[in-house]
Amino acid sequence: MKKVYRLEDLDCANCAAKMERSIAKIDGVKSVSVSFMAQRMSIEADDDNFENIMDEVVKKCKKVEPDCKIIR
Amino acid sequence: MEKRILSKKQRRELIRIIVCLAAFLAIFIADKVAKLDKVISGVGWVLPFVLYLIVYLAIGYDVLWRAVRNIAHGQVFDENFLMCIATIGAFALAIYRGVSGMQAEGFDEACAVLLFYQVGEFFQDYAAGRSRKSISALMDIRPDYANLLTGGGVETVDPSQVKVGDVIRVNPGEKVPLDGVVIKGASALDTKALTGESLPREVAEGDPVISGSVNTSTQLDIRVEKEFYDSTVSKILELVENASAQKSKAENFITKFAKYYTPTVVIVALLLAVIPGAVTGDWSTWVYRALSFLVVSCPCALVISIPLSFFAGIGAASRYGILIKGSNYLEKFNKADAFVFDKTGTLTKGNFVVAEVAPEENRDKVLRLAAVAEHDSAHPIAKSIRESFAGETEGGYTLTNVAGEGIVASKDGSVICCGNEKLMKSRGISYVPHKGVGTVVYVSENGRFEGSILIHDQIKEEAPEVMRGLAEMGCKTVMLTGDNEAVASAVAEELGVTQYKAGLLPQNKVEEVEKLLAQKQKSGALCFVGDGINDAPVLMRSDIGIAMGGVGSDAAIEAADMVLMHDDLNSLPLAKRIARKTMAVVRENIVFSIAVKLIILVLSALGIANMWAAVFGDVGVAVIAILNAMRVNGRYKEKTNGKENLPA
């Protein structure tokens, strides 16, 4: 399943890149693209475990860029 | 134009920066003039230290806080953290100098690093926000509500609640929320936001309307044909919003570079402080140089300016009605060296007109007979014949369609045959073959040949010039058509395309494109340009699928990589110019930023550059790169007009 989320307060381009890298490492994430310019994250992950994966994604996001919120 | 240039948060930030900058300058000047370090005897360094520290904390408390927080999360190479190390280190060094009786200096640098770092951050934020706004101008097409006609009256609802078949009312000044057909009223629609086309489009009962256009004059009632999520406006918004998810090679390169750049610089800084420091014993010099390194270690200038350039390019293109689905396509389009066109509807207008009637003296009769026979047909050729005949057509004929040949009309023993050569042959009518290029319709009455009508498609006025323009840019142009060889070669010559393929069935187009893909050079890219009707497989197969006049054909919007909302071929050279400019700016920014940073690193390692230069290496480079990126979002059309006006 592929989904696009809006990101709030993603303030730096490098953080977006770091976020992208650390989210890509999560199990079950097939592809992820964090766009600093569009303030959006598009993510493709396993269907059956999507919500759990997203919880993990939010955790990673908090760790890398605590100011940034993923609008679910 | 915009209601507010700065957001609330940005305004607060700007005030803080200005106040701190003023305070910094006041202290700086006072220090140089009045020698603040001489005010208190014995511990002279304390006064400048305290003054600068106040400014430092005022401007940098959030950076310090983030540094602490992020390091707690294990983010060692966090830019906030590195900036804090660099500045706190510089303070410590200055205090060390003060305590050990050397001239107390360096507080200003420590404070300035963080101050300018914040200036840079602010600028990045501002630039990114501005650039986003230029795209969100396009987002203005998003309709907020629909006026649903119910049995009792009008109800204002969310566009997503309206179903196919519902009737909605659009008042003057309102946006059309969903795709549909006008069932009552006539008005002019402003499609500027969708296509960039400034002329309003007249619509009347029975005409289709696309969502996102604005009703300018009179109330319209519209029967909804597509639900909101299938409507043009949703498709376009989705496309634009997701455009930056498809990253270009340049962007990927730069994020990869950043990934290694920061740790490398930090490690080198560490070595620079420890090894020569231990060897020479001159710790303060080498620690100072190492701290300068840390200031330059932030890759932000690069990381932001590249996506910003692409974003600006995509934004600039969208203002001209060119939608690009991702940075990667913009990058590829710059390399495009082959353009394959579908003929009908793309290079030609797709509306057929009667070009010639032979024999000319029999024109009225031939057209009248043909109009009678073609009276009922929806075929574009039949339409063109009817349109060219001004008089009344006699009714009451029985019309028989002979598949692949034409139409036979009969009434009271009178028989009109209207069709191609095969029809004439099968009826045993001797006819005069027409030599012209195009589709020929032969007409006979009661077995006697009356004449022939030559019909051809009009090529778009701008097509030959665009073909020439593309050729000048070093691109091959190929025309694909289902027409016969004679028609194809004539049209190809008129257009000036470099190559053409005639007699293709729709399914052959994919094969042709595959052949061309196999021939092309690896560095180039092949674009297929079609009107989006039955083109989806070819659009997908080519390197860059371009759908023209895409508004209204949502299948094309989905299959294509670029959508030209104008039905105007001039969009192609325009898009090419935008792509070229974007890529030039991207290259400049990559080379410039990396070069300046490396030079400053080397110079500070050698002790030639001080921390002020390092601040420039960080903030100055970022600002210059961003300003350069914003150049992409300029004007493109006016420039060409200037060129065209020049004498050849």
Side-chain angles (χ1 to χ4, degrees):
Chain A
M1 182 159 56
K2 196 169 178 171
K3 263 188 141 170
V4 180
Y5 293 92
R6 223 151 51 78
L7 303 173
E8 219 161 64
D9 292 328
L10 176 61
D11 282 341
C12 90
N14 199 25
C15 314
K18 280 193 234 166
M19 247 171 85
E20 190 177 284
R21 276 200 291 276
S22 69
I23 291 171
K25 282 185 202 139
I26 298 174
D27 256 356
V29 173
K30 284 186 197 128
S31 73
V32 60
S33 166
V34 178
S35 163
F36 167 70
M37 285 312 303
Q39 303 265 299
R40 267 182 179 77
M41 174 179 74
S42 63
I43 181 163
E44 195 181 356
D46 296 340
D47 284 18
D48 26 320
N49 209 11
F50 199 85
E51 282 310 306
N52 291 337
I53 291 171
M54 274 312 292
D55 289 342
E56 192 66 25
V57 167
V58 170
K59 252 190 243 163
K60 284 267 182 181
C61 166
K62 267 234 144 52
K63 203 175 153 193
V64 179
E65 179 63 2
D67 292 330
C68 172
K69 279 190 284 292
I70 297 174
I71 314 293
R72 293 175 79 174
Chain B
M1 215 163 53
E2 289 126 16
K3 270 175 256 157
R4 265 200 328 237
I5 299 167
L6 298 175
S7 70
K8 227 176 177 175
K9 193 174 145 200
Q10 284 177 323
R11 227 175 320 164
R12 258 204 327 265
E13 196 57 33
L14 185 63
I15 291 168
R16 181 160 74 121
I17 288 172
I18 292 171
V19 169
C20 289
L21 199 62
F24 174 80
L25 284 176
I27 298 167
F28 188 76
I29 292 166
D31 190 24
K32 294 288 170 219
V33 176
K35 302 285 174 216
L36 291 177
D37 55 331
K38 301 282 188 290
V39 175
I40 307 171
S41 56
V43 280
W45 57 271
V46 174
L47 184 64
F49 168 63
V50 171
L51 289 176
Y52 278 124
L53 187 67
I54 292 170
V55 178
Y56 176 83
L57 291 176
I59 195 70
Y61 65 87
D62 50 338
V63 181
L64 287 165
W65 159 239
R66 280 201 294 269
V68 172
R69 191 186 54 189
N70 292 356
I71 199 75
H73 285 142
Q75 302 278 319
V76 187
F77 297 118
D78 174 69
E79 56 182 279
N80 296 294
F81 175 66
L82 295 172
M83 276 296 158
C84 290
I85 296 284
T87 50
I88 292 171
F91 266 119
L93 210 57
I95 293 172
Y96 166 77
R97 284 163 166 270
V99 171
S100 53
M102 285 185 265
Q103 205 200 345
E105 58 170 15
F107 295 120
D108 53 347
E109 286 178 344
C111 188
V113 167
L114 210 59
L115 185 58
F116 286 108
Y117 172 73
Q118 291 285 47
V119 171
E121 289 288 295
F122 173 79
F123 194 76
Q124 287 175 20
D125 199 44
Y126 171 71
R130 236 190 80 136
S131 197
R132 277 184 205 118
K133 257 183 207 142
S134 81
I135 289 235
S136 61
L138 194 79
M139 306 289 187
D140 273 351
I141 60 176
R142 184 192 296 281
D144 307 315
Y145 60 90
N147 304 318
L148 182 65
L149 289 192
T150 55
V154 181
E155 202 185 321
T156 304
V157 297
D158 193 89
S160 60
Q161 289 174 3
V162 181
K163 289 181 190 62
V164 172
D166 284 349
V167 176
I168 52 169
R169 175 162 290 170
V170 183
N171 296 311
E174 288 182 337
K175 281 172 222 139
V176 177
L178 300 109
D179 294 356
V181 173
V182 178
I183 54 168
K184 209 173 105 193
S187 183
L189 293 180
D190 177 2
T191 59
K192 196 162 189 302
L194 286 171
T195 64
E197 174 65 60
S198 49
L199 283 180
R201 201 162 103 186
E202 301 289 335
V203 290
E205 263 169 56
D207 286 342
V209 287
I210 47 174
S211 48
S213 41
V214 178
N215 187 3
T216 58
S217 54
T218 31
Q219 196 177 61
L220 289 174
D221 283 357
I222 292 164
R223 191 181 61 238
V224 175
E225 299 274 290
K226 274 177 194 160
E227 287 194 15
F228 184 63
Y229 294 105
D230 293 326
S231 276
T232 311
V233 70
S234 294
K235 299 271 177 200
I236 291 173
L237 287 172
E238 203 183 292
L239 189 159
V240 175
E241 282 171 6
N242 295 331
S244 53
Q246 306 256 30
K247 287 186 183 158
S248 58
K249 277 188 197 150
E251 281 170 284
N252 289 332
F253 163 74
I254 221 71
T255 44
K256 215 171 221 160
F257 176 82
K259 186 181 164 190
Y260 297 106
Y261 173 78
T262 307
T264 310
V265 173
V266 171
I267 290 166
V268 174
L270 209 63
L271 296 175
L272 202 61
V274 175
I275 299 173
V279 171
T280 60
D282 183 7
W283 286 96
S284 75
T285 302
W286 290 102
V287 168
Y288 178 83
R289 292 181 188 180
L291 293 176
S292 302
F293 257 60
L294 291 186
V295 175
V296 196
S297 70
C298 176
C300 264
L302 279 168
V303 178
I304 192 166
S305 70
I306 306 307
L308 191 64
S309 308
F310 280 110
F311 202 73
I314 291 174
S318 72
R319 268 189 294 135
Y320 294 110
I322 303 163
L323 302 182
I324 302 169
K325 272 196 184 169
S327 315
N328 54 339
Y329 296 116
L330 193 62
E331 188 177 46
K332 247 197 244 169
F333 191 66
N334 183 47
K335 289 191 287 190
D337 57 359
F339 284 82
V340 182
F341 295 90
D342 189 23
K343 186 192 133 237
T344 306
T346 307
L347 293 172
T348 64
K349 289 177 179 166
N351 66 346
F352 294 85
V353 288
V354 171
E356 211 183 311
V357 180
E360 185 57 40
E361 57 275 14
N362 210 9
R363 182 185 177 98
D364 273 355
K365 188 177 184 192
V366 172
L367 283 177
R368 182 175 55 82
L369 293 173
V372 167
E374 304 279 7
H375 161 75
D376 225 15
S377 168
H379 195 278
I381 287 181
K383 238 169 99 185
S384 70
I385 290 177
R386 285 201 302 272
E387 274 164 12
S388 65
F389 179 65
E392 284 284 307
T393 48
E394 199 183 331
Y397 278 85
T398 313
L399 305 176
T400 323
N401 199 347
V402 186
E405 295 187 0
I407 290 169
V408 178
S410 53
K411 182 171 116 177
D412 310 331
S414 144
V415 180
I416 304 170
C417 292
C418 176
N420 57 16
E421 295 188 359
K422 277 187 208 152
L423 184 71
M424 296 294 118
K425 279 180 192 150
S426 69
R427 303 270 148 168
I429 301 162
S430 60
Y431 63 98
V432 185
H434 197 293
K435 293 280 191 298
V437 172
T439 308
V440 182
V441 175
Y442 296 93
V443 182
S444 74
E445 191 182 27
N446 299 330
R448 207 172 67 102
F449 176 67
E450 290 292 345
S452 55
I453 305 169
L454 176 71
I455 292 160
H456 70 200
D457 196 359
Q458 288 169 295
I459 67 166
K460 290 185 182 164
E461 285 93 3
E462 76 276 11
E465 202 191 306
V466 169
M467 295 305 119
R468 206 168 51 234
L470 290 173
E472 274 166 21
M473 291 181 184
C475 303
K476 187 162 87 171
T477 50
V478 184
M479 179 181 86
L480 303 183
T481 176
D483 289 347
N484 61 43
E485 179 66 29
V487 176
S489 80
V491 174
E493 197 175 326
E494 200 177 343
L495 288 167
V497 292
T498 38
Q499 209 178 321
Y500 69 89
K501 284 273 154 46
L504 297 174
L505 295 169
Q507 60 267 32
N508 298 142
K509 285 182 190 165
V510 179
E511 288 165 32
E512 279 307 319
V513 165
E514 294 204 332
K515 266 189 228 159
L516 289 163
L517 277 170
Q519 284 168 21
K520 70 155 186 148
Q521 283 166 342
K522 230 182 162 183
S523 60
L526 181 138
C527 305
F528 176 82
V529 190
D531 61 1
I533 300 162
N534 307 324
D535 280 347
V538 202
L539 286 172
M540 308 253 257
R541 188 63 195 87
S542 46
D543 291 329
I544 304 170
I546 303 173
M548 272 196 88
V551 169
S553 166
D554 52 344
I557 298 184
E558 252 161 55
D561 305 314
M562 270 169 72
V563 179
L564 309 181
M565 294 205 282
H566 274 305
D567 203 16
D568 182 352
L569 288 164
N570 278 312
S571 298
L572 288 173
L574 183 65
K576 193 91 176 134
R577 277 199 299 277
I578 294 173
R580 195 180 274 182
K581 173 111 167 240
T582 307
M583 293 315 295
V585 165
V586 164
R587 270 192 298 272
E588 281 161 24
N589 277 349
I590 292 179
V591 172
F592 168 75
S593 310
I594 295 182
V596 172
K597 278 182 185 265
L598 288 181
I599 289 168
I600 288 176
L601 284 176
V602 170
L603 292 183
S604 35
L606 296 173
I608 298 168
N610 59 9
M611 210 175 258
W612 289 98
V615 173
F616 172 77
D618 182 44
V619 180
V621 169
V623 170
I624 292 170
I626 288 167
L627 287 175
N628 196 23
M630 285 171 111
R631 270 191 329 127
V632 174
N633 200 353
R635 291 171 180 278
Y636 291 87
K637 258 210 173 122
E638 286 74 359
K639 257 185 222 163
T640 48
N641 287 346
K643 258 186 212 159
E644 279 156 17
N645 290 340
L646 291 174

